Amino acid sequence: MTLLVVQALNGFQLGMLLFLIAAGLTLVFGVMNFVNLAHGVQYMLGAYLGVMFARIAGGFWSGLILASLAAGAFGLVLERLIFRHLYARSELDQVLATFGVIITLNEGVRLVWGSAPLELPMPDALSHSFQLMDGLRYPVYRVALAVTGLVVAGLLALVVNGTRAGMLIRAGASNQEMVSALGVDIGRLFRMVFGVGAMLAGFAGVLAAPLVSVEPNMGDNLLILAFVVIVIGGTGSIRGAFLAALIVGLVDTLGRSMITDFAHAVLSGPASSRVGPALASMLIYLVMAAVLAVRPAGLFPLRS
Amino acid sequence: MLKQVLAAGLMSALVAATAQAQTPPILKMTVIATLSGPQASLGEQVRDGFALAVEQRGGKLGGLPVEVTVMDDELKPDVAVTKIRGLLESSHQDFVVGPVFSVVMAAIFKPVTSAGVFLISPNAGLSTFAGKACSKDLFVTSYQNDQPHSVSGEFATTQGYKRAFIIAPNYQAGRDALTGFKSRYKGEVVSEDYVPLNQMDMQSEIAKIAAAKPDVVFVFLPGGLGINFVKQYRQAGLTNIPVLSTFTVDESTLPAEGDAAIGFYSGTNWAPNMDTPANKAFVAAFEKKFNYVPATYAAQSFDTAMLIDSAVKAAGLDHDRLRTALEKADFASVRGSFKFGVNHYPIQDFYLAQVAKRPDGKLQTEIRSKVLTADVDPYAAECKMQ
């Protein structure tokens, strides 16, 4: 039972990390109708910049702030140089070009920082842990990460639902031409959304860096998960992204920890050790398929 | 008359000498390793270890000038085969050195050996070519893949650990690793977990370990998986359960794992602190030139260059004579004792190493005890070398 609670907590915390990445992706996808595969490398870049700034500025916190800002700025530079020319093009062109950005940045990071993985120590203030179950201590940092995700989700919900900028974002998502016909500078709105999205991904990268290894390609796997999240949640919807990130985090973590035991109970012999892990890695995609079968546009679609 | 004969003789000797000076034999070889993608640091170790040996000998091996082509296999078997085929069709090569990963080795084995070129693997040690399908033109200077994993199994048995929790990635090498561990482990395996290769959070496995309370944990978690596991294991405060491992804590991942890795065990055939004169000189020169601590990949690659050096010195460039010289392995290995078995895979000692901090603050693995002596891989008996 305690194990279940611990695993649920792990799942929740993975979900919050996914949400930070998926929030920017879903806004860009929903509002601009732009498929940005390069969103995952923003996460990687954030982690690398975090390591670099933490070393230069001497601390996790300054690293976190500087790296998030730098990642946002870098996102804006990419938007200006590359992505801007893709908005009017087909989705295939967008996928190809942003995929090119992934490859370039992965190798670029390797050139600058080398291919050996890097480390970012936890901030001292959060580096202790508490007894969660017999024999297992839980790092305070992980709890802080989950809480941060909740706070960001709350702030984003406030901005999107309660401010003029948020209203324009929602309007832009449902009818772009109409908004620009009403005299709103839709380009500026896009840039703002893009910058915030890139910054959030970079922010998530720095937050994840003390838990995982900072290495080239670290964003690639998360990108796939983030796409699963926005497909389940419905593109463009912050609420959907939040709920879907929770579902994916919980299903993935709980599934992995339980399905092998389940497979062992049902099957026997070597088959069970093969079926379990295979099933566990498929689980979130099965959930995605199930959601799409019932609600083809995701849980909270912006356009119906 | 006599003068004329003498003059003619001198002339022809001179001509012969200059002709020889114009075309001295050049030793041509290719180093193929993974130099891009997430695992690039392993390939870089292989490249650097080899380059150091060549540089120390003034750009020569066995007294002959060397022309080394370095290739990136991108960890893609198809890419490796295309590149190797193209190279062997367009130029003569005496040796191909590589690769890092077994999947690439399986792919390039045929193209290289069927072209009559020696393939010398400084890391990958597939079981396929150690048994019935052993080849006279393949030499492996690392180990047979099962061996390092079985070291941990043997150690766990001798320590009397009764319950083991074992984890590996969910792919063939991961299954082989756990099979290797179990081949010498006599206790009970309480849980055998396979995680996806791209999993980034190991927290859920760690919670399972805490709940199962095993006597010992064995993991084969290469690259980022291992880094995440080591950091998170320490963060979870599971210090009382010892962790045995392979390719999880080594000098390629230690800089990223940091102090969290101190105390973790690793089954290995080499460590930077190994006390042989050849090894001390190698580690010192390597760190001076490349400014990082070498791992087994670099050490085995350095040995590979030394092996070629010794063979070419003894036999020149004749293929069959070279093979006989290679089989003798007449070089000072950084590992101390080293010889080839009938299947051209090494017969060597294996150790349990532990991560420790050096006086200069860098981390390295250090030999703690010898676990297997002159170990012969389990497939060698099936090899009938033609």
Side-chain angles (χ1 to χ4, degrees), chain A residues 3 7 10 14 17 110 115 117 119 122 133-137 142 209-213 221 256 260 273-274 277, chain B residues 37 40 44 170 175 198-201 203-204 207-208 210-211 213 224 227-228 231-232 235-236 238 256-257:
Chain A
L3 184 60
Q7 300 293 32
N10 288 333
L14 174 65
L17 188 68
R110 195 189 310 285
S115 16
E119 183 204 20
M122 278 184 187
M133 61 182 251
D134 190 21
L136 181 77
R137 298 189 66 81
R142 284 180 175 269
L211 301 174
V212 302
S213 81
N221 297 322
R256 265 194 281 117
T260 29
S273 80
R274 279 177 189 273
Chain B
E44 286 165 6
N170 189 23
R175 295 182 180 280
N198 57 8
Q199 182 171 322
M200 52 157 214
D201 201 351
Q203 192 71 21
S204 103
K208 280 177 80 174
K213 294 194 184 62
I227 295 169
N228 301 348
K231 285 165 110 177
Q232 294 168 10
Q235 287 163 8
L238 287 169
E257 287 160 354

Side-chain angles (χ1 to χ4, degrees), chain A residues 3 6-7 10 13-14 17 43 107 110 114-120 122 129 133-139 142 208-218 221-222 224 253 256-258 260-261 264 270 273-275 277-278 281, chain B residues 35-41 44 170 172 175 191-208 210-213 223-225 227-229 231-232 235-238 240 252-260:
Chain A
L3 184 60
V6 174
Q7 300 293 32
N10 288 333
Q13 175 239 311
L14 174 65
L17 188 68
Y43 161 83
E107 290 306 313
R110 195 189 310 285
S115 16
L118 302 179
E119 183 204 20
L120 179 63
M122 278 184 187
S129 53
M133 61 182 251
D134 190 21
L136 181 77
R137 298 189 66 81
Y138 206 78
R142 284 180 175 269
L211 301 174
V212 302
S213 81
V214 178
E215 56 186 4
N217 307 67
M218 66 186 279
N221 297 322
L222 266 182
I224 297 169
T253 309
R256 265 194 281 117
S257 72
M258 257 157 260
T260 29
D261 299 338
H264 275 299
S273 80
R274 279 177 189 273
V275 170
S281 17
Chain B
L35 296 167
S36 57
Q39 307 293 350
S41 64
E44 286 165 6
N170 189 23
Q172 196 53 45
R175 295 182 180 280
S191 185
E192 184 174 341
D193 273 26
Y194 293 98
V195 299
L197 251 184
N198 57 8
Q199 182 171 322
M200 52 157 214
D201 201 351
M202 303 296 293
Q203 192 71 21
S204 103
E205 276 69 31
I206 288 169
K208 280 177 80 174
K213 294 194 184 62
L225 276 177
I227 295 169
N228 301 348
F229 177 81
K231 285 165 110 177
Q232 294 168 10
Q235 287 163 8
L238 287 169
N240 51 336
S252 71
T253 52
L254 283 175
E257 287 160 354
D259 290 354

